[in-house]
């Protein structure tokens, strides 16, 4: 077994290779299963990113099973957009909390 994460069957490179080499529904389903495995990876080390989602979206959008493939691609795109919004809101909140803490700790703003 290789220790290189790029050789992992759930790596984004593997997913992209899977989706590019076949236009079958089974390839799209396999790519989606890999995405699901990444989402459920217990240590959280291998979380799906834009490339992972893009590979699965592409697999569905170009598969020969239409209109199902386009519908699945659209659903995954909306899921990715929702994740991006949630991540943005969380990072904005963390930034506000950090700034609030900094101003309190240095006595800015009439703190007690």
């Amino acid at each position: 077994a290789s220790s290189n994460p790029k050789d992992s069957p759930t790596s984004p490179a593997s997913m992209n290779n899977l989706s590019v080499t076949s236009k079958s529904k089974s390839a799209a389903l396999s790519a989606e299963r890999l995405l699901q495995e990444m989402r459920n990876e217990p240590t959280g080390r291998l979380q799906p990113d834009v490339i992972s989602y893009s590979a699965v979206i592409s697999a569905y959008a170009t598969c020969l099973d239409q209109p199902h493939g386009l519908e699945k691609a659209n659903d995954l795109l909306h899921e990715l957009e929702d994740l991006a919004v949630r991540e943005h809101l969380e990072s904005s909140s963390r930034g506000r909390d950090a700034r609030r803490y900094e101003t309190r700790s240095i006595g800015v703003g009439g703190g007690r």
Side-chain angles (χ1 to χ4, degrees), residues 1 4 9-10 19-21 23 32 34 39 45 59 70 78:
N4 186 347
T10 55
S19 69
V20 169
T21 58
K23 298 210 182 281
E32 187 175 15
L34 290 175
R39 285 188 206 124
R45 288 186 353 201
L70 291 175
H78 288 300

Side-chain angles (χ1 to χ4, degrees), residues 53-65:
Y53 273 92
S54 179
V56 181
I57 290 168
S58 178
Y60 273 116
T62 60
C63 83
L64 301 176
D65 180 29

Side-chain angles (χ1 to χ4, degrees), residues 66-87:
Q66 299 302 335
H68 173 76
L70 291 175
E71 292 167 1
K72 283 295 289 183
N74 194 44
D75 291 346
L76 286 164
L77 178 60
H78 288 300
E79 182 179 318
L80 177 59
E81 289 170 337
D82 290 345
L83 288 171
V85 167
R86 213 170 335 169
E87 201 171 279

Side-chain angles (χ1 to χ4, degrees), residues 3-112:
S3 62
N4 186 347
K6 290 184 178 181
D7 294 336
S8 165
T10 55
S11 74
S14 294
M15 291 177 67
N16 193 40
N17 190 36
L18 178 65
S19 69
V20 169
T21 58
S22 176
K23 298 210 182 281
S24 71
K25 182 178 178 179
S26 65
L29 289 169
S30 293
E32 187 175 15
R33 271 193 301 277
L34 290 175
L35 183 70
Q36 188 65 35
E37 285 180 34
M38 292 173 75
R39 285 188 206 124
N40 297 332
E41 201 275 320
T43 65
R45 288 186 353 201
L46 188 60
Q47 291 299 303
D49 58 9
V50 171
I51 295 169
S52 308
Y53 273 92
S54 179
V56 181
I57 290 168
S58 178
Y60 273 116
T62 60
C63 83
L64 301 176
D65 180 29
Q66 299 302 335
H68 173 76
L70 291 175
E71 292 167 1
K72 283 295 289 183
N74 194 44
D75 291 346
L76 286 164
L77 178 60
H78 288 300
E79 182 179 318
L80 177 59
E81 289 170 337
D82 290 345
L83 288 171
V85 167
R86 213 170 335 169
E87 201 171 279
H88 173 74
L89 292 174
E90 287 173 3
S91 69
S92 295
S93 175
R94 282 191 304 268
R96 280 193 304 273
D97 291 345
R99 286 190 298 277
R100 205 172 305 139
Y101 174 77
E102 289 171 4
T103 57
R104 266 187 268 152
S105 66
I106 60 174
V108 175
R112 297 169 205 199

